[in-house]
Amino acid sequence: EALPWYEHKMVPSSPASFDATSWLLFLAVLVNQSGRVMVPSLKTSVLADPDFGEPFAAVVGGLLSGVSIVCLGGKLLGAAFTDRLGGWLVLVTVFVMWLAATAGAIAAPTVDVFGYMWLLNSFAYTVTWGAAVQVVGAVYGEKERPAQLSKVASASRFGATLGNLFFGQLLSAGFAWRRVMMPMVPLQAALLLLCTYKYFTDSGLRASAAAAADAPSLRLARPDCSHSSGAELAHRTFW
Protein backbone atom coordinates (compact mmCIF):
# COMPACT_ATOMS: atom_id res chain seq x y z
CA GLU A 1 0.00 0.00 0.00
CA ALA A 2 1.38 3.39 -0.98
CA LEU A 3 2.17 5.81 1.80
CA PRO A 4 0.49 9.24 1.85
CA TRP A 5 2.68 12.20 0.97
CA TYR A 6 3.21 13.34 4.56
CA GLU A 7 4.52 9.94 5.63
CA HIS A 8 6.93 9.84 2.73
CA LYS A 9 8.59 12.98 4.07
CA MET A 10 9.17 11.42 7.47
CA VAL A 11 10.80 8.24 6.14
CA PRO A 12 14.65 8.34 6.25
CA SER A 13 16.49 8.21 2.97
CA SER A 14 17.55 4.89 1.53
CA PRO A 15 21.03 3.57 2.31
CA ALA A 16 22.14 4.37 -1.24
CA SER A 17 21.42 8.08 -0.81
CA PHE A 18 23.03 10.66 1.44
CA ASP A 19 21.45 10.51 4.90
CA ALA A 20 21.88 14.02 6.30
CA THR A 21 20.36 13.16 9.68
CA SER A 22 22.72 10.24 10.22
CA TRP A 23 25.84 12.22 9.35
CA LEU A 24 24.77 15.22 11.39
CA LEU A 25 24.38 12.99 14.44
CA PHE A 26 27.77 11.45 13.70
CA LEU A 27 29.45 14.86 13.48
CA ALA A 28 27.65 16.16 16.57
CA VAL A 29 28.86 13.26 18.70
CA LEU A 30 32.33 13.33 17.09
CA VAL A 31 32.93 17.01 17.88
CA ASN A 32 31.28 16.64 21.26
CA GLN A 33 33.56 13.81 22.32
CA SER A 34 36.60 15.67 20.94
CA GLY A 35 35.65 18.55 23.20
CA ARG A 36 35.22 16.18 26.13
CA VAL A 37 38.98 15.55 26.24
CA MET A 38 39.86 19.19 25.57
CA VAL A 39 40.49 20.36 29.12
CA PRO A 40 42.18 17.12 30.30
CA SER A 41 44.50 17.35 27.27
CA LEU A 42 45.45 20.89 28.24
CA LYS A 43 45.86 20.27 31.96
CA THR A 44 49.65 20.00 31.87
CA SER A 45 49.94 23.24 29.89
CA VAL A 46 47.57 25.05 32.25
CA LEU A 47 49.65 23.87 35.22
CA ALA A 48 52.75 25.28 33.51
CA ASP A 49 51.09 28.65 32.95
CA PRO A 50 52.83 31.28 35.14
CA ASP A 51 49.54 32.97 35.99
CA PHE A 52 47.23 29.94 36.25
CA GLY A 53 49.57 27.14 37.25
CA GLU A 54 49.77 27.51 41.02
CA PRO A 55 46.09 28.34 41.72
CA PHE A 56 44.95 25.66 39.26
CA ALA A 57 47.13 23.03 40.98
CA ALA A 58 45.44 23.91 44.27
CA VAL A 59 41.91 23.21 42.97
CA VAL A 60 42.36 20.62 40.22
CA GLY A 61 41.63 17.69 42.55
CA GLY A 62 38.32 19.22 43.61
CA LEU A 63 37.46 20.01 40.01
CA LEU A 64 38.01 16.39 39.00
CA SER A 65 35.58 15.31 41.71
CA GLY A 66 33.15 17.99 40.56
CA VAL A 67 33.36 16.74 36.98
CA SER A 68 32.35 13.23 38.11
CA ILE A 69 29.37 14.59 40.06
CA VAL A 70 28.28 16.80 37.15
CA CYS A 71 28.49 13.87 34.73
CA LEU A 72 26.26 11.79 37.00
CA GLY A 73 23.77 14.64 37.30
CA GLY A 74 23.84 15.14 33.54
CA LYS A 75 22.93 11.50 32.94
CA LEU A 76 20.00 11.70 35.36
CA LEU A 77 18.69 14.98 33.97
CA GLY A 78 19.20 13.83 30.40
CA ALA A 79 17.18 10.68 31.04
CA ALA A 80 14.39 12.74 32.62
CA PHE A 81 14.04 15.44 29.97
CA THR A 82 15.34 14.16 26.64
CA ASP A 83 12.19 12.19 25.74
CA ARG A 84 9.98 15.13 26.72
CA LEU A 85 11.92 17.79 24.84
CA GLY A 86 13.14 15.71 21.91
CA GLY A 87 16.70 14.91 20.91
CA TRP A 88 17.19 17.83 18.50
CA LEU A 89 16.17 20.45 21.05
CA VAL A 90 18.50 18.88 23.62
CA LEU A 91 21.35 18.92 21.07
CA VAL A 92 20.67 22.60 20.39
CA THR A 93 20.90 23.26 24.13
CA VAL A 94 24.08 21.17 24.34
CA PHE A 95 25.87 23.24 21.70
CA VAL A 96 24.74 26.50 23.30
CA MET A 97 26.38 25.26 26.51
CA TRP A 98 29.43 24.10 24.57
CA LEU A 99 29.93 27.50 22.99
CA ALA A 100 29.54 29.23 26.33
CA ALA A 101 31.95 26.79 28.03
CA THR A 102 34.62 26.97 25.32
CA ALA A 103 34.48 30.75 24.89
CA GLY A 104 34.42 31.20 28.65
CA ALA A 105 37.44 28.93 29.14
CA ILE A 106 39.40 30.78 26.44
CA ALA A 107 38.69 34.16 28.00
CA ALA A 108 38.71 33.01 31.66
CA PRO A 109 40.34 35.72 33.79
CA THR A 110 40.63 33.49 36.87
CA VAL A 111 41.01 29.83 37.72
CA ASP A 112 37.54 29.83 39.29
CA VAL A 113 35.91 30.89 36.01
CA PHE A 114 37.99 28.33 34.12
CA GLY A 115 36.82 25.63 36.55
CA TYR A 116 33.15 26.57 36.09
CA MET A 117 33.56 26.36 32.32
CA TRP A 118 35.12 22.91 32.70
CA LEU A 119 32.08 21.77 34.70
CA LEU A 120 29.71 23.18 32.08
CA ASN A 121 31.73 21.42 29.39
CA SER A 122 31.36 18.12 31.29
CA PHE A 123 27.61 18.53 31.71
CA ALA A 124 27.13 19.24 28.00
CA TYR A 125 28.96 16.19 26.69
CA THR A 126 27.22 13.89 29.20
CA VAL A 127 23.76 14.76 27.84
CA THR A 128 24.74 14.39 24.17
CA TRP A 129 24.67 10.61 23.90
CA GLY A 130 21.09 10.30 25.18
CA ALA A 131 19.93 13.04 22.81
CA ALA A 132 21.50 11.31 19.82
CA VAL A 133 19.92 7.98 20.79
CA GLN A 134 16.51 9.64 21.11
CA VAL A 135 16.79 11.04 17.58
CA VAL A 136 17.76 7.63 16.23
CA GLY A 137 14.76 6.04 17.94
CA ALA A 138 12.37 8.70 16.66
CA VAL A 139 13.59 8.88 13.06
CA TYR A 140 14.65 5.35 12.10
CA GLY A 141 12.73 2.12 11.86
CA GLU A 142 13.46 -1.03 13.81
CA LYS A 143 15.69 -2.51 11.10
CA GLU A 144 17.78 0.67 10.70
CA ARG A 145 18.33 1.50 14.36
CA PRO A 146 21.17 -0.96 15.16
CA ALA A 147 23.32 0.37 12.31
CA GLN A 148 22.63 3.98 13.26
CA LEU A 149 23.39 3.37 16.93
CA SER A 150 26.66 1.68 15.96
CA LYS A 151 27.55 4.68 13.82
CA VAL A 152 26.90 7.11 16.68
CA ALA A 153 28.87 4.91 19.09
CA SER A 154 31.83 4.83 16.69
CA ALA A 155 31.72 8.63 16.52
CA SER A 156 32.09 8.70 20.29
CA ARG A 157 35.21 6.52 20.18
CA PHE A 158 36.76 8.33 17.21
CA GLY A 159 35.98 11.72 18.71
CA ALA A 160 37.88 11.12 21.94
CA THR A 161 40.90 9.76 20.06
CA LEU A 162 40.78 12.54 17.49
CA GLY A 163 40.55 15.16 20.21
CA ASN A 164 43.63 13.89 22.01
CA LEU A 165 45.60 13.83 18.75
CA PHE A 166 44.38 17.25 17.65
CA PHE A 167 45.01 19.11 20.90
CA GLY A 168 48.28 17.28 21.48
CA GLN A 169 49.61 18.26 18.05
CA LEU A 170 48.68 21.91 18.56
CA LEU A 171 50.43 21.95 21.92
CA SER A 172 53.49 20.27 20.40
CA ALA A 173 53.52 22.95 17.71
CA GLY A 174 53.96 25.57 20.43
CA PHE A 175 50.44 27.03 20.65
CA ALA A 176 49.34 28.39 24.01
CA TRP A 177 46.55 26.47 25.73
CA ARG A 178 43.99 29.24 25.15
CA ARG A 179 44.68 29.27 21.40
CA VAL A 180 44.45 25.48 21.22
CA MET A 181 40.75 25.69 22.22
CA MET A 182 39.85 28.31 19.61
CA PRO A 183 39.23 25.95 16.63
CA MET A 184 36.39 24.34 18.58
CA VAL A 185 34.33 27.53 18.56
CA PRO A 186 33.46 27.64 14.82
CA LEU A 187 32.84 23.87 14.78
CA GLN A 188 30.43 24.11 17.69
CA ALA A 189 28.73 27.19 16.19
CA ALA A 190 28.21 25.38 12.86
CA LEU A 191 26.72 22.33 14.59
CA LEU A 192 24.49 24.59 16.69
CA LEU A 193 23.06 26.11 13.51
CA LEU A 194 22.58 22.72 11.83
CA CYS A 195 20.88 21.18 14.86
CA THR A 196 18.63 24.24 15.17
CA TYR A 197 17.67 23.89 11.51
CA LYS A 198 16.87 20.18 12.01
CA TYR A 199 14.80 20.96 15.09
CA PHE A 200 12.60 23.46 13.29
CA THR A 201 12.27 21.46 10.07
CA ASP A 202 11.38 18.25 11.92
CA SER A 203 8.88 20.14 14.07
CA GLY A 204 7.27 21.52 10.90
CA LEU A 205 7.07 18.07 9.32
CA ARG A 206 5.47 16.60 12.43
CA ALA A 207 2.90 19.38 12.50
CA SER A 208 2.11 18.89 8.80
CA ALA A 209 1.86 15.13 9.23
CA ALA A 210 -0.49 15.50 12.19
CA ALA A 211 -2.72 17.93 10.27
CA ALA A 212 -2.77 15.69 7.20
CA ALA A 213 -3.54 12.61 9.31
CA ASP A 214 -6.57 14.36 10.77
CA ALA A 215 -7.89 15.47 7.36
CA PRO A 216 -9.24 12.04 6.17
CA SER A 217 -11.25 11.58 9.34
CA LEU A 218 -12.84 14.99 8.83
CA ARG A 219 -13.77 14.12 5.27
CA LEU A 220 -15.29 10.80 6.35
CA ALA A 221 -17.37 12.51 8.97
CA ARG A 222 -19.19 14.57 6.31
CA PRO A 223 -21.41 12.55 3.88
CA ASP A 224 -20.99 13.21 0.19
CA CYS A 225 -24.40 14.23 -1.10
CA SER A 226 -23.34 15.47 -4.51
CA HIS A 227 -24.57 12.29 -6.25
CA SER A 228 -27.52 11.47 -3.99
CA SER A 229 -31.11 11.51 -5.10
CA GLY A 230 -33.62 13.71 -3.35
CA ALA A 231 -35.10 10.75 -1.48
CA GLU A 232 -31.69 9.62 -0.28
CA LEU A 233 -30.85 13.17 0.80
CA ALA A 234 -34.10 13.50 2.69
CA HIS A 235 -33.48 10.12 4.37
CA ARG A 236 -29.97 11.14 5.44
CA THR A 237 -31.19 14.52 6.68
CA PHE A 238 -34.01 12.97 8.66
CA TRP A 239 -31.89 10.28 10.34
Side-chain angles (χ1 to χ4, degrees):
E1 184 180 356
L3 291 172
W5 66 268
Y6 53 85
E7 291 189 13
H8 276 295
K9 288 188 176 182
M10 299 299 291
V11 173
S13 55
S14 65
S17 61
F18 179 76
D19 189 344
T21 297
S22 177
W23 284 107
L24 178 54
L25 288 175
F26 180 86
L27 288 174
V29 175
L30 183 78
V31 172
N32 183 281
Q33 291 299 307
S34 297
R36 175 177 71 87
V37 300
M38 180 174 66
V39 176
S41 298
L42 302 176
K43 189 170 65 173
T44 302
S45 296
V46 177
L47 288 169
D49 188 291
D51 297 322
F52 267 58
E54 186 175 345
F56 184 68
V59 300
V60 67
L63 284 173
L64 289 171
S65 299
V67 166
S68 299
I69 295 171
V70 165
C71 288
L72 176 60
K75 290 178 180 179
L76 296 175
L77 288 175
F81 292 103
T82 299
D83 285 336
R84 295 183 184 180
L85 299 176
W88 286 123
L89 182 56
V90 173
L91 285 173
V92 169
T93 306
V94 161
F95 282 107
V96 169
M97 291 190 290
W98 267 111
L99 277 172
T102 305
I106 293 171
T110 65
V111 169
D112 288 340
V113 173
F114 182 79
Y116 294 140
M117 296 303 102
W118 187 4
L119 295 177
L120 183 59
N121 170 307
S122 302
F123 181 81
Y125 81 71
T126 303
V127 180
T128 303
W129 170 253
V133 170
Q134 196 279 338
V135 172
V136 170
V139 172
Y140 295 96
E142 186 175 351
K143 293 182 179 180
E144 296 171 302
R145 285 174 194 158
Q148 295 300 327
L149 289 173
S150 297
K151 188 174 182 178
V152 173
S154 67
S156 177
R157 298 291 180 265
F158 290 148
T161 303
L162 184 64
N164 282 317
L165 290 172
F166 177 73
F167 299 123
Q169 288 300 311
L170 289 180
L171 289 172
S172 298
F175 288 94
W177 61 269
R178 293 181 190 269
R179 294 186 63 189
V180 169
M181 293 188 285
M182 289 181 180
M184 295 299 291
V185 173
L187 288 175
Q188 292 164 354
L191 286 166
L192 170 61
L193 293 175
L194 290 172
C195 290
T196 302
Y197 172 79
K198 286 295 294 182
Y199 168 69
F200 283 111
T201 54
D202 280 16
S203 298
L205 286 176
R206 284 194 297 270
S208 298
D214 290 340
S217 62
L218 293 175
R219 288 195 297 268
L220 290 173
R222 179 180 298 174
D224 184 6
C225 301
S226 59
H227 300 291
S228 302
S229 64
E232 290 173 336
L233 180 59
H235 176 78
R236 290 179 183 178
T237 304
F238 178 80
W239 292 106

